[in-house]
Amino acid sequence: MTIATARRRHALDLDDFTPEEIEEILDTAESMKEVLSREIKQVPTLRGRTVVNMFYEESTRTRISFELAARALSANVVSFTARGSSVEKGESLIDTVRTLQALGADMVVIRHNQSGAPHLVARHFAGGVINAGDGRHAHPTQALLDLLTIREHLGQIRGLKVVIVGDILHSRVARSNLWGLTRLGAEVTLCAPPTLLGPAAYWTATWPQVKISYKVDEAIAGADVVMALRLQKERMQAGLLPSLREYSRAYAITPERLARLGEKTLIMHPGPMNEGVEIWPEVVTAPNTVIDEQVTNGVAVRMALLYRLAG
Ligand code: NCD
């Protein structure tokens, strides 16, 4: 058995995935897409297993796609939000996890506004844990679905020029994509105003290959993929931005910027979008924009990961 196919219990970030393992998951996701294209979109793979979705932070696409993924594999699925649970009575995360274990959960999917919460859960839970986004730290399934979408359109990741534009400082999507994209050999440029990037040395210390740019027009010239990120006002301290208008003028993906890119340049966004802030509505509906496909691919990627973790 190679390391790539060795049994993995948790998916907390992509930092401990080898390129081979990532490619295997993407290959499995392709097979899952075939399942999802059938009239009956369900296979019995996880019949009798219980997956608990713990969402301590807002989510639409990630939560629904984890639910659909688990159901397509015939698992029992329970979705849990902090509101309405004993968390409101002050129950700790660890006690909640022990309770879920006592109730027979086999796998936990967790989203939390605190970085590191999934790692804490993984230490106290006997089954598998998948990180569905923790603070500004990591969002591995988003990165996997982004990689799948890029690979489907452009054939391979190696050698591609990928530019991530926007609120990088607060973005777990950017961090997990950096692991995935660099492991698979893409050239990544981060482009943001200095206040939404933080010290350049922080990025280059962890990902030495990464390039930094403060000028979007320079950064995106010749790009194969442009990934716009949401301005995360909920994680932002006051004073990081002069004004939304200035930010948009300098960093938004506008129709003018789109027109200067090649017709093959993929435009991506993890959603939810602030249209008119980081991306223009005309860009969202442009032919080379693959935002809906990213959402669709999320189900197949999550099926692939649940399947892999279930062993
Ligand atoms: C992202 C998230 O929650 O990290 N959304 C998502 O999962 N598709 C990005 C964001 O919130 O901006």
Side-chain angles (χ1 to χ4, degrees):
M1 197 195 281
T2 64
I3 292 180
T5 53
R7 174 95 160 80
R8 155 181 298 283
R9 191 145 66 93
H10 308 303
L12 303 175
D13 196 0
L14 292 191
D15 56 351
D16 64 346
F17 282 64
T18 61
E20 294 74 24
E21 184 176 15
I22 296 174
E23 296 276 12
E24 277 177 20
I25 291 169
L26 302 185
D27 293 343
T28 309
E30 302 273 7
S31 321
M32 297 302 180
K33 282 189 84 163
E34 190 276 312
V35 170
L36 294 170
S37 71
R38 296 180 197 163
E39 204 174 326
I40 295 171
K41 303 172 178 40
Q42 201 173 39
V43 285
T45 320
L46 295 191
R47 182 169 293 158
R49 308 276 187 114
T50 300
V51 178
V52 179
N53 286 330
M54 302 170 79
F55 277 70
Y56 287 83
E57 201 192 87
E58 303 67 30
S59 175
T60 304
R61 64 215 90 214
T62 304
R63 186 161 67 90
I64 293 174
S65 84
F66 265 113
E67 273 188 45
L68 292 174
R71 283 182 212 283
L73 296 172
S74 304
N76 300 319
V77 193
V78 185
S79 286
F80 166 105
T81 52
R83 188 163 303 155
S85 73
S86 289
V87 171
E88 291 202 327
K89 298 182 185 167
E91 188 163 52
S92 75
L93 188 55
I94 294 171
D95 287 340
T96 305
V97 167
R98 285 209 192 97
T99 304
L100 295 176
Q101 182 142 318
L103 289 168
D106 296 298
M107 268 190 271
V108 158
V109 174
I110 176 168
R111 166 168 289 198
H112 204 288
N113 61 6
Q114 297 293 322
S115 297
H119 301 68
L120 182 69
V121 170
R123 284 207 296 277
H124 294 270
F125 182 65
V129 177
I130 302 181
N131 182 0
D134 63 326
R136 54 167 90 173
H137 171 241
H139 195 352
T141 59
Q142 179 69 41
L144 288 168
L145 73 88
D146 290 338
L147 292 169
L148 178 64
T149 309
I150 298 172
R151 200 179 77 164
E152 277 180 349
H153 279 269
L154 303 177
Q156 58 164 32
I157 309 292
R158 180 156 300 282
L160 293 180
K161 185 174 173 208
V162 180
V163 185
I164 306 179
V165 187
D167 181 0
I168 290 164
L169 181 65
H170 301 102
S171 179
R172 54 195 179 206
V173 175
R175 285 173 178 77
S176 287
N177 259 301
L178 275 167
W179 287 120
L181 286 165
T182 56
R183 286 273 148 88
L184 296 192
E187 287 172 31
V188 185
T189 302
L190 302 177
C191 180
T195 50
L196 292 184
L197 188 77
Y202 159 74
W203 300 99
T204 50
T206 315
W207 297 279
Q209 324 83 318
V210 109
K211 295 198 184 96
I212 305 282
S213 165
Y214 302 107
K215 296 203 170 117
V216 77
D217 293 300
E218 281 177 24
I220 64 178
D224 298 296
V225 178
V226 174
M227 195 181 284
L229 296 178
R230 182 174 68 90
L231 206 55
Q232 300 193 32
K233 297 189 207 93
E234 77 278 16
R235 296 190 214 285
M236 213 172 271
Q237 295 155 353
L240 287 183
L241 279 179
S243 76
L244 276 186
R245 219 143 79 97
E246 271 180 83
Y247 173 79
S248 295
R249 195 176 306 133
Y251 291 96
I253 308 304
T254 59
E256 294 72 34
R257 291 194 168 115
L258 180 72
R260 286 201 294 274
L261 292 166
E263 272 168 27
K264 287 207 180 124
T265 304
L266 294 189
I267 307 293
M268 307 178 76
H269 191 303
M273 291 180 276
N274 297 303
E275 290 190 29
V277 178
E278 69 263 358
I279 190 164
W280 250 241
E282 298 88 327
V283 176
V284 173
T285 53
N288 42 339
T289 296
V290 293
I291 296 170
D292 290 343
E293 278 177 57
Q294 289 173 264
V295 177
T296 304
N297 281 340
V299 181
V301 154
R302 288 166 179 130
M303 286 170 77
L305 205 54
L306 286 167
Y307 169 70
R308 189 173 188 88
L309 264 52

